Amino acid sequence: MVRRNRITIIQFAIILVIAGMGLAAGNVLAKPGGDIPVLVSRKNLDMEKGSSSQIKITGSNIMQIKYSSTDKHVVVANKKGKITAKNTGICKVNINVYYKTAKDSREKKKFIVRVKVKPKEDSKLQSFKIIVNEKEFDAEAYNTDAAKEFYGMLPIKIKMSELNGNEKFYYMNKTFTEDKGKAGTINTGDIMLYGNNCIVLFYETFQSNYTYTKIGYIKNPSGLARELGKGDVEVSFSK
């Protein structure tokens, strides 16, 4: 009788140990994630004016996602990651993802999606060239009235003045139709209208609170800053 009780106690102890291991393993598996990384579906987005696209975030134990556009004049982003292209231009969508880690702590990961909005395909996008010190850059004009008016003046050659270590500017003898919007992110190669008669060519990327009318952009601005230099420079625009 005593022997039977002893065996029963040992077996019971073994069962408890196995059960404890199972519970421990269960707790590890049940803990919030961290093994699965938080990922964004895309880092660059090309859109047409008026179109919409979806940015998806995947990962484990995501608690909250916040989307924000750096230029709501170009694109707007709702709380579900739907991006709507409002006007032609270039901007960014910032995404903050809050999630739990394996240690049950709250963490944040930030993503940046670069968005370029072009006119609809049925709208003609005019191409032109910019020449600085005999180096040629290919550019495209936006579908704004000011861009069309500027394109209609080509070819022209102007001496552009230096400003702030990031742009060249020139006051034209003609006024253009304004369609101003807050610049937000200005990119290297952007061509904009300041006020109603100042053409600006940017050779650095930076944030700005000033308002401009979009004229166009250089498709591949590599080497632009080097060619423009730090002083005044002659720049040719041609079809």
Side-chain angles (χ1 to χ4, degrees):
M1 188 72 178
V2 173
R3 186 178 180 183
R4 257 198 327 269
N5 289 341
R6 184 179 179 185
I7 293 173
T8 302
I9 292 171
I10 293 173
Q11 290 174 335
F12 183 68
I14 292 173
I15 292 171
L16 286 178
V17 171
I18 294 173
M21 292 174 63
L23 288 172
N27 287 337
V28 170
L29 294 175
K31 280 184 178 180
D35 296 329
I36 302 175
V38 178
L39 301 172
V40 64
S41 60
R42 58 186 70 194
K43 293 184 179 180
N44 296 284
L45 186 59
D46 291 329
M47 304 179 68
E48 289 184 3
K49 180 179 178 180
S51 67
S52 297
S53 188
Q54 187 74 33
I55 297 177
K56 294 181 180 180
I57 301 295
T58 57
S60 60
N61 293 282
I62 293 175
M63 303 170 66
Q64 186 182 24
I65 306 174
K66 293 183 178 180
Y67 301 85
S68 62
S69 169
T70 59
D71 190 346
K72 293 182 180 179
H73 181 72
V74 177
V75 300
V76 293
N78 71 9
K79 61 182 180 181
K80 293 184 178 180
K82 180 181 178 182
I83 311 302
T84 302
K86 307 294 288 185
N87 290 286
T88 55
I90 300 173
C91 73
K92 298 175 183 177
V93 173
N94 294 322
I95 308 169
N96 290 319
V97 183
Y98 301 87
Y99 63 98
K100 283 187 178 180
T101 67
K103 295 182 179 180
D104 205 18
S105 63
R106 180 184 172 96
E107 297 288 343
K108 182 181 81 169
K109 191 166 186 177
K110 183 176 181 179
F111 297 98
I112 297 175
V113 178
R114 292 168 177 81
V115 185
K116 179 187 289 185
V117 180
K118 294 183 178 182
K120 292 182 180 179
E121 288 187 358
D122 58 358
S123 299
K124 291 184 178 180
L125 193 65
Q126 303 287 3
S127 296
F128 61 101
K129 297 185 182 299
I130 296 175
I131 301 174
V132 187
N133 295 328
E134 298 184 355
K135 183 174 176 60
E136 189 175 281
F137 297 90
D138 291 326
E140 289 186 336
Y142 288 116
N143 194 29
T144 61
D145 289 338
K148 293 174 183 176
E149 292 161 4
F150 179 75
Y151 184 83
M153 296 178 63
L154 306 186
I156 59 172
K157 186 174 185 178
I158 55 179
K159 186 173 184 180
M160 305 191 77
S161 301
E162 165 66 25
L163 182 65
N164 297 329
N166 55 31
E167 67 182 77
K168 306 292 183 182
F169 72 93
Y170 180 82
Y171 283 95
M172 306 288 290
N173 293 325
K174 167 186 171 56
T175 59
F176 299 86
T177 303
E178 295 181 71
D179 183 18
K180 294 188 296 185
K182 186 177 177 180
T185 300
I186 292 177
N187 294 281
T188 301
D190 281 350
I191 307 150
M192 298 192 186
L193 175 71
Y194 180 71
N196 63 5
N197 69 335
C198 183
I199 298 296
V200 185
L201 173 58
F202 295 94
Y203 59 89
E204 294 288 345
T205 297
F206 64 99
Q207 295 289 320
S208 174
N209 291 322
Y210 285 96
T211 57
Y212 297 91
T213 300
K214 296 179 183 298
I215 297 293
Y217 65 95
I218 294 175
K219 292 190 286 186
N220 182 8
S222 177
L224 177 64
R226 180 180 64 253
E227 296 299 330
L228 289 173
K230 295 300 180 182
D232 299 349
V233 62
E234 287 191 339
V235 181
S236 297
F237 299 81
S238 61
K239 297 178 181 177

